[in-house]
Structures are given as structure tokens and as C-alpha cells.
Amino acid sequence: MTTSQEHIHCLIIGSGPAGYTAAIYASRADLKPVLYTGLTPGGQLTETTEVDNFPGYPKGITGPELMEDLKNQAERFGTEVRFGMATKADLNVTPKQIWIDDTKMITADTVIISTGASAKWLGLENESRLRMNAGGVSACAVCDGFFYKGQDVAIVGAGDTAAEEATYLAKLCKKVYMIVRRGEMRASKAMQNRVQNTPNIEILWHSETHDILGKETVDGVVVKNVQTNELRTLNVTGFFVAIGHKPNTDIFKGQIDMDDMGYIQVVPGTTKTNIAGVFAVGDCADKNYRQAVTAAGSGCMGALDAERYLASVGH
Ligand code: NDP
């Protein structure tokens, strides 16, 4: 039920590094952006601890602090940051229509979608407990691998991400166990060859994660061979989950060009979607890089693309 309506010049949906960077640029360009945060203000980075790879923080920064800094920077130039979830959209009308929390209808001259993606998890109780405690469970080897330098870790998954992250971890860690649920990998042949030619990666085929051990931090992973039912405990201190991500794009399905996984397709080298005036930035349009800094970079591009679009249509 729509209870109120408002017109916004530049609407930004999502509050990760992509959304806030788009907001910084859009507000400095006087587009008077309004940013809706979604249900997790700050996005995926609020669920991580130390961020050591965002340029400009030589001593590192925590994920929540980084997101607060980005938010404050966006607000400093006049972005209006509001808590609320975009629940429905009609992008094929002018102006675009977006509903917030199912009740408020916004019409917007331009929309920057920065709704991000969510890592998939196995769903084990100890996985979520240790993840929430920052206790050694992670979905991003590039972000967190460094903390396990010289240690033994395990990674679950067998796609390109898992293969890439396993080889990344193998450069830092003493030993990497790769837990693969079938007798083959989904990853490209080239990536599989890299994994199989890395001496300190041991692949556990036909295996699933039975449990993750540890009170405060991971101190072992129990793996079950699904062919023999044999249980084996791996003495690892880090557990990486790389079983895929889901872009948060459900409300735009059927309206905007996406790939078969739901990632919004953009014109290469830009943030333009197939709908004039609608731009996609950050992880909702990127399944390859998924880094805070690449998301932030595309957020900047989104604001510049939006500014040029608005100028071209005389707004
Ligand atoms: P994918 O969906 O390709 O692979 C997910 C993997 O996780 C599969 O091996 C799957 O197993 C496994 N898996 C899923 N659920 C579970 C579970 N519950 N328990 C155990 N294992 C599970 O995701 P990716 O993130 O790897 O890749 C996403 C896309 O991004 C792909 O198109 C990929 O090619 C692309 N990509 C490209 C890169 C590059 O070109 N450099 C780098 C990274 C990603 P199963 O095979 O049995 O289903």
C-alpha cells in the first residue's frame, strides 16, 4: 500500500562502498542524491573485521569504521542518507518508480543501483557463530587471508572463486585443504590446473564440511567423505567459504538486463544498463573483482554517468 510519494533527482539504492562513493560524487556535482541504505547499512564490510587493503589506511581500519567514514563523507557534501529497503521497482517508466519498505513511492530522474551481493554460506551453526565472532570464518580470502600467514587453512567450494582463492591462500599459508563436494571441479580447466599444480594445496574430493571446531576461533574442521562416510579432522585455524555469491537484484528481475546469475549487465567500461538513466555499480554488477576499492571506483563512475545523463536530458 503506497502511503506517500516523493520525487528525487538522483536516487542511490544501497550503502556499500559503491553506493557511498556514488553519493560523494553525486552530491559534489549537486545532484542532491538521496541514498537508501537497505537492511544492512554499510553492506558486506560491516560484517568483516580488519580491512587492510583499502588505499589510504596504512594502519588498516575496521569494516564498520570504514563504512562510517564513507557515510560521513557522503553526508558532508549533502547526501541524504535514509534507512529503508527498496522493495519494488518500475524502471521502464519516466521518471523511474521505486517503492521503499513497500509503502513510500519514489519517482526518480536517475537511479544508481548499488545493492551489492551476498556471500552464500553452508548454513552450519558453528559457521555462523564463529563468523559473527570474527573467529576465523570468512568468505573473502583476498580480504582475510593475510591473517593466516604461515598457518593451515581450509576452503570449501570448487568454482573459479574457490580455485582462485585457494591458490591465493597457498602463497600465504603453510597448507590449504580444498573441500570439494563432488569428484570434479566446476572451475575452468586453467584454474583447476593451477590448483592441482600447487604443492601445498590438498584437494579432498567427495567431501563435505561436517562441523567447524573452536570456541572463540577456529581450531579445526571436521570433513566427511560422502562416499565412505569417513570423518577426518583438519587442524586448521582459518575456514574460507567460496561457494558463490548472490547479487541482490531480485526486485529488478525482468526489467533490466542481467546474466543468468542475476548480475546486472552494464555496457563495458561504463555503469550504463540497458535502461537510460539507470546505472549499476559495485558487486550487483561485478562477479569478478568484488573488492571494496573496485566497488568504490565503479560508484564514482556511476555518479559521473548519472551526471552526464541528467545533463543530456536537460535536468
Ligand atoms: P560458482 O557458482 O561457479 O561455484 C560454486 C562452487 O561452490 C561449486 O563448485 C559448487 O559445487 C560449490 N558449492 C555450492 N554450494 C555448496 C555447498 N553447499 N557445499 C559445498 N560446495 C558447494 O561460484 P563462483 O563464486 O566460483 O563463481 C561465480 C562466477 O564468477 C562463475 O561464473 C565464475 O566463472 C566467475 N568467476 C570468474 C573468475 C575469473 O574469471 N577469474 C574468478 C571468480 C569467479 P558444485 O560444482 O558441486 O555445484
Side-chain angles (χ1 to χ4, degrees):
M1 185 186 53
T2 304
T3 54
S4 64
Q5 194 171 329
E6 179 185 1
H7 185 75
I8 288 173
H9 196 40
C10 175
L11 174 68
I12 300 172
I13 309 172
S15 57
Y20 281 135
T21 306
I24 292 166
Y25 275 77
S27 49
R28 285 169 60 87
D30 208 23
L31 303 188
K32 305 196 170 25
V34 173
L35 179 151
Y36 276 94
T37 59
L39 290 185
T40 314
Q44 292 178 84
L45 276 186
T46 56
E47 293 176 6
T48 63
T49 45
E50 287 299 309
V51 178
D52 275 336
N53 55 9
F54 199 87
Y57 292 96
K59 297 191 176 104
I61 184 165
T62 69
E65 278 174 316
L66 173 60
M67 296 321 299
E68 194 59 26
D69 280 355
L70 284 171
K71 173 173 175 276
N72 290 338
Q73 195 172 351
E75 285 180 330
R76 185 176 140 217
F77 299 110
T79 301
E80 200 179 316
V81 177
R82 300 179 185 167
F83 182 76
M85 179 84 179
T87 46
K88 194 173 124 189
D90 187 353
L91 300 176
N92 290 304
V93 291
T94 304
K96 321 295 171 206
Q97 298 180 347
I98 308 282
W99 281 259
I100 304 296
D101 299 327
D102 285 324
T103 50
K104 183 180 175 90
M105 198 249 261
I106 290 189
T107 55
D109 295 323
T110 185
V111 177
I112 299 176
I113 302 172
S114 53
T115 45
S118 306
K120 292 184 191 164
W121 298 97
L122 296 172
L124 298 170
E125 203 180 313
N126 283 335
E127 173 193 51
S128 61
R129 180 179 59 79
L130 288 161
R131 177 165 77 88
M132 295 306 172
N133 285 352
V137 173
S138 165
C140 180
V142 177
C143 318
D144 299 326
F146 187 78
F147 302 118
Y148 304 94
K149 216 171 174 178
Q151 302 173 36
D152 290 358
V153 298
I155 182 163
V156 56
D160 280 323
T161 303
E164 199 168 80
E165 298 205 340
T167 49
Y168 179 87
L169 289 167
K171 290 193 197 120
L172 299 168
C173 302
K174 197 150 74 82
K175 169 125 195 178
V176 179
Y177 296 96
M178 190 165 178
I179 305 168
V180 177
R181 66 180 175 182
R182 294 187 290 136
E184 58 181 323
M185 284 192 207
R186 183 185 294 264
S188 63
K189 275 280 169 284
M191 287 306 298
Q192 291 191 39
N193 289 340
R194 266 176 72 186
V195 168
Q196 282 167 352
N197 291 329
T198 305
N200 60 337
I201 299 179
E202 180 181 336
I203 303 171
L204 307 178
W205 300 104
H206 299 291
S207 296
E208 62 182 35
T209 310
H210 185 69
D211 202 0
I212 303 161
L213 309 175
K215 212 166 170 213
E216 301 294 326
T217 59
V218 172
D219 59 24
V221 169
V222 183
V223 174
K224 180 180 176 182
N225 182 306
V226 291
Q227 289 188 318
T228 61
N229 283 337
E230 187 195 337
L231 294 178
R232 173 178 171 190
T233 300
L234 311 173
N235 293 317
V236 295
T237 48
F239 182 69
F240 291 86
V241 180
I243 61 170
H245 284 74
K246 185 181 181 311
N248 303 318
T249 55
D250 285 355
I251 63 163
F252 309 113
K253 263 196 184 124
Q255 303 186 35
I256 197 166
D257 284 353
M258 295 180 183
D259 69 9
D260 53 4
M261 295 169 70
Y263 287 92
I264 297 174
Q265 290 183 322
V266 293
V267 177
T270 78
T271 65
K272 293 177 191 168
T273 68
N274 63 311
I275 302 175
V278 179
F279 305 91
V281 301
D283 286 12
C284 69
D286 169 24
K287 66 182 173 206
N288 280 327
Y289 299 104
R290 291 197 296 253
Q291 299 301 301
V293 66
T294 52
S298 76
C300 157
M301 290 163 64
L304 296 177
D305 285 341
E307 185 188 357
R308 286 171 194 154
Y309 163 78
L310 289 168
S312 75
V313 294
H315 278 293

